[in-house]
Amino acid sequence: MKRVDLHSHTTASDGTFTPEQSIARALANGLSAFAITDHDTVAAFPHAIEEGEKYNVEIVPGIEISSVYEGKDVHVLGYYMDYTDEKFLNRVEELRNVRNTRNQMIVDKLVSLGIPITMDEVRSRRTDKNGNIGRPHIAQVLVDKGVVASTQEAFDKYLSTSGAAYTNPPRITPAEAVQLILDAGGVPVLAHPGLYKNVELARELIGVGLKGIEVFHPDHGPEDEATYGSLADEYGLIKTGGSDFHGIRNGKVFHGDLGEKSVPKQTLNRIKELAGK
Ligand code: AMP
Ligand code: ZN
Ligand code: FE
Ligand code: FE
């Protein structure tokens, strides 16, 4: 039976594949449907959905919102928001602006560490000149300049939460991100909770309307799957999953390959029911 991948990125944010390229890969990898969940943008829609229809691959409209909780990044996924709603789009534009402020702050910090880097250089690493800029684009500049040998080294040394250039401006909280998605008629899901190691945060978000937990993710081990699977069961939440596909960077699949983590079609159907689709 064909499977569904509920987490992927395109050139609308820090993925390196266009929606068309992702559709081809989904077909090759035996998926019947996949979600596009770009960081703080829904720019891929409706175009991506129309492209999917041409090739008989269902594209699920999604987003991955960056929020901050106790100084750390927490990602909230949303599915089936009304991506034409003006109020929603205005709020997403605000997220994009805060992201740009954050990017500049990281670049400034790198410069203060003696690494010559400019926002123009970072911007030029995008395939889509309107795409949202993320840390992987900054990492790419550091690799290209020979400051580090790999994207992973760029994160480990400079860009991860414990990295030397990590910083965040005031940002939306995870609870606000859940509300933002609910306000737009979408289904909010906590992304890769195994990365935060904070079960209390998950419980708090369930209290404000979280509908699902991403149990299956390339960065989750069996323990994370067990912990968050049983938490989802305890509250009757949807157990989602996906590869977090980001395309190919420096010759390597960055994060999971499309379909590497997946869920059965019934999981998608439950999300659709909740969204009234
Ligand atoms: P941003 O949305 O700009 O904060 O960047 C987030 C993206 O950076 C994630 O989706 C990952 O692709 C990548 N990323 C974050 N932390 C790490 C890490 N520790 N190692 C490798 N990639 C990471
Ligand atoms: Zn990303
Ligand atoms: Fe994420
Ligand atoms: Fe992601």
Side-chain angles (χ1 to χ4, degrees):
M1 207 198 48
K2 290 216 167 183
R3 310 262 309 172
V4 179
D5 184 332
L6 287 170
H7 191 155
S8 79
H9 298 270
T10 72
T11 47
S13 67
D14 59 5
T16 69
F17 276 37
T18 61
E20 288 84 347
Q21 290 171 318
S22 289
I23 288 164
R25 197 152 186 114
L27 282 172
N29 292 358
L31 294 172
S32 61
F34 70 97
I36 293 177
T37 52
D38 276 308
H39 299 286
D40 299 330
T41 178
V42 287
F45 315 112
H47 174 73
I49 294 171
E50 291 159 5
E51 285 301 306
E53 281 165 3
K54 285 191 202 162
Y55 298 95
N56 209 19
V57 176
E58 184 177 350
I59 306 291
V60 177
I63 191 168
E64 184 173 23
I65 295 181
S66 296
S67 68
V68 171
Y69 189 81
E70 293 174 349
K72 291 182 192 147
D73 293 81
V74 170
H75 290 171
V76 178
L77 294 160
Y79 300 101
Y80 294 106
M81 307 73 50
D82 177 2
Y83 55 79
T84 63
D85 180 70
E86 211 172 307
K87 195 161 168 244
F88 173 69
L89 289 172
N90 285 337
R91 295 177 78 183
V92 170
E93 186 63 24
E94 282 168 32
L95 301 177
R96 177 185 168 95
N97 292 339
V98 176
R99 164 174 290 278
N100 285 335
T101 302
R102 192 282 316 257
N103 293 335
Q104 184 68 59
M105 285 165 68
I106 292 179
V107 164
D108 290 348
K109 233 172 152 170
L110 286 166
V111 169
S112 77
L113 290 168
I115 297 162
I117 178 171
T118 66
M119 267 316 292
D120 274 344
E121 289 171 326
V122 176
R123 277 190 278 270
S124 75
R125 266 41 176 203
R126 287 176 297 184
T127 311
D128 175 349
K129 66 174 176 17
N130 295 313
N132 271 0
I133 297 168
R135 282 180 282 165
H137 297 115
I138 302 174
Q140 190 64 52
V141 177
L142 297 179
V143 172
D144 294 346
K145 290 192 162 203
V147 174
V148 291
S150 66
T151 312
Q152 196 53 56
E153 192 187 337
F155 273 94
D156 292 345
K157 282 200 176 144
Y158 298 108
L159 303 173
S160 70
T161 314
S162 53
Y166 180 80
T167 176
N168 258 316
R171 256 173 144 166
I172 187 172
T173 67
E176 286 167 339
V178 166
Q179 192 59 51
L180 199 167
I181 290 160
L182 290 172
D183 288 346
V187 178
V189 170
L190 182 59
H192 41 64
L195 296 186
Y196 325 130
K197 305 274 171 239
N198 190 337
V199 176
E200 280 319 301
L201 167 65
R203 285 187 200 276
E204 180 192 321
L205 297 180
I206 293 166
V208 296
L210 194 75
K211 300 283 189 266
I213 298 180
E214 188 175 56
V215 173
F216 309 102
H217 185 275
D219 294 338
H220 279 185
E223 241 178 69
D224 297 314
E225 288 185 6
T227 301
Y228 292 100
S230 50
L231 185 69
D233 287 338
E234 185 184 334
Y235 292 93
L237 301 189
I238 305 173
K239 287 178 272 192
T240 77
S243 63
D244 215 348
F245 181 59
H246 276 73
I248 294 173
R249 272 205 158 77
N250 307 313
K252 278 198 279 190
V253 172
F254 186 51
H255 304 303
D257 198 350
L258 200 59
E260 187 177 311
K261 292 288 168 185
S262 62
V263 292
K265 193 75 189 270
Q266 295 92 292
T267 305
L268 177 58
N269 289 341
R270 271 193 77 194
I271 295 175
K272 283 184 182 174
E273 269 167 43
L274 282 180
K277 300 285 164 189

